[in-house]
Amino acid sequence: MHSSEWSLLFFTLIGQFSAGLTTALLIYTIITPRRNDNAQASFLKVGLLVATGAIGIALIISFLHLSAPLSSVFALTNLKSSWLSREILMVSAYAASIFATTLYWLFCKGKRSLLIPLLAISSLLGLTMVLTMAKLYMIETIPVWNTPGTLIAFYVNTILLGSSFASVLFYNSHKDNLDKNVERVFVFVIITILAVKFISGLVGWDTTTNENIAFAGGMYHPIWDALSWAWLLGLGMLIRRVFPNPRDSDTGIRFYLLAFVFFVIAEFAARVIFYSSYFRIGL
Amino acid sequence: MAKQWAFYFDSSQCSGCKTCQIACKDKQDHAVGLRWRNVYEVAGGHWEAKGDSNWESGIESYNISMSCNHCEDPICMKNCPNGAIYKNEEGIVLIDADRCMGCKYCQWACPYGALHLNKQTGKMTKCDLCIDYLAEGKQPSCVAACPMRVLKVGELSELRSEFDDWENIYPLPSAHITKPSLVIKAKEAAKKEMNWKIINREEVRDA
């Protein structure tokens, strides 16, 4: 993996996390009855601030990849054919949208009339941003990236990190009056997306090509392979939460937090492997 | 049809002296490690045992001198977010340095390894076919310097009609991907299916 790609790794991981968290907040807002209590207000406030902060950090990190960042003012001038140009447009649009949503929630004193439309727009922009992120890597000359596996991996990361972080926040803000149905929805979403991740891994996307390859993919340390399976530990934490030990008391936050940490480790390692696997056809 | 400048390269006669590479660096005054043209040394085959103590060589080798091929459908231009890469009216693919932000996306995509980062300026650079020389009626420095006369430059359609073209030479990709403006005469051995490898990897890698 080239040293200049670390910034891309963090940018994609954090940006996708932000989009996933926004989508989780939207789902929460839709499925929970409006109560205007502190728990709901606090959950949404912290969630929106984290989503906005994350995309802000991702944006700053993305500039570290550029050798001449001042020329990025031209970055939207090839929307017609460049997926990178489209990605930059979508990242900017999503960042502006989630920032506006956060401002609305912070300054409109709990009025929820516009919250769902604003979150829906932000979520749609965020998920479209993830699509453009994936498509820019799916280049004809890079067979190892030019598979549906790239698209699936990026959406898995989005939903997995977003919903697992949302479940930590949810438990923390609602622990005094836990809505089991909402908790079940988050756990169901996480387990479903883990199933998609596992099946996608089993498929083993065909990256063979009849083209000449002069330089094979880069090598990575086997430790990344091992760490990419950390999601199994995260799944174990969730199962432990769903089937609690009767002798334990109030262990929910610990299990959700550990699950999120294991998912972050797994996705980080998977992304290192992704960037390390780069090779292109020809020279 | 608009004019399309192109390179002709006779791989069957190239000695791999790398004068083209040096002439390009000299003309462009490039820093150490930055090369718009590279000579790739390709080798394949193996030694076969003949009897108890005799071995027969089945080794073949050839060279590929390669820079930007000023493709008809340049993948670098399509992917550049800033619109910094463009084709001029003579088919030469050029970079507008003022617009380049150094994202290196073009470098990822180009299957000819033609784009290189200038670490001093932070901008991507590539062969401009010595456009100033062409305007003066002179040949590009690599073509003019080649002692074996295996590099030529000319109108693509004329080069194609004058020379036999072999597209599927290792390690080049299929021409349909970017439609390179390149005509290659391959060594006979290069047309064989063999375990071809680039043997000067460290030398051609971007520093």
Side-chain angles (χ1 to χ4, degrees), chain B residues 1-4 72 155-157 160:
Chain B
M1 196 180 140
K3 187 175 174 102
Q4 175 64 62
E72 289 177 66
E155 164 68 33
L156 178 62
S157 55
R160 281 199 177 135

Side-chain angles (χ1 to χ4, degrees), chain B residues 93-145:
Chain B
V93 178
L94 297 166
I95 297 181
D96 179 349
D98 290 339
R99 294 179 78 96
C100 175
M101 62 179 176
C103 67
K104 307 173 209 64
Y105 194 38
C106 50
Q107 191 178 38
W108 265 0
C110 173
Y112 299 98
L115 291 117
H116 309 275
L117 179 72
N118 181 332
K119 288 176 179 163
Q120 272 79 46
T121 62
K123 309 279 183 172
M124 298 308 294
T125 61
K126 60 180 281 305
C127 161
D128 62 0
L129 232 147
C130 292
I131 193 167
D132 50 341
Y133 280 8
L134 288 178
E136 294 169 17
K138 296 197 287 190
Q139 293 189 318
S141 58
C142 55
V143 174

Side-chain angles (χ1 to χ4, degrees), chain A residues 7 61-72, chain B residues 101-104 122:
Chain A
S7 53
I61 291 173
S62 72
F63 277 89
L64 300 178
H65 175 66
L66 305 178
S67 311
L70 290 179
S71 298
S72 61
Chain B
M101 62 179 176
C103 67
K104 307 173 209 64

Side-chain angles (χ1 to χ4, degrees), chain A residues 5 134 136-139 142-151 207 273-279, chain B residues 105 108:
Chain A
E5 284 159 10
L136 84 85
Y137 289 94
M138 295 164 73
I139 307 172
I142 309 176
V144 71
W145 289 350
N146 191 22
T147 73
T150 300
L151 194 62
T207 59
I273 293 168
F274 175 82
Y275 282 105
S276 301
S277 67
Y278 167 86
F279 69 86
Chain B
Y105 194 38
W108 265 0

Side-chain angles (χ1 to χ4, degrees), chain A residues 78 82 136 141 211-212 280, chain B residues 79-80 103 105 107 109 172 174:
Chain A
N78 197 11
S82 171
L136 84 85
T141 51
E211 297 287 346
N212 291 320
R280 66 168 174 245
Chain B
N79 282 311
C80 174
C103 67
Y105 194 38
Q107 191 178 38
L172 303 187
S174 302

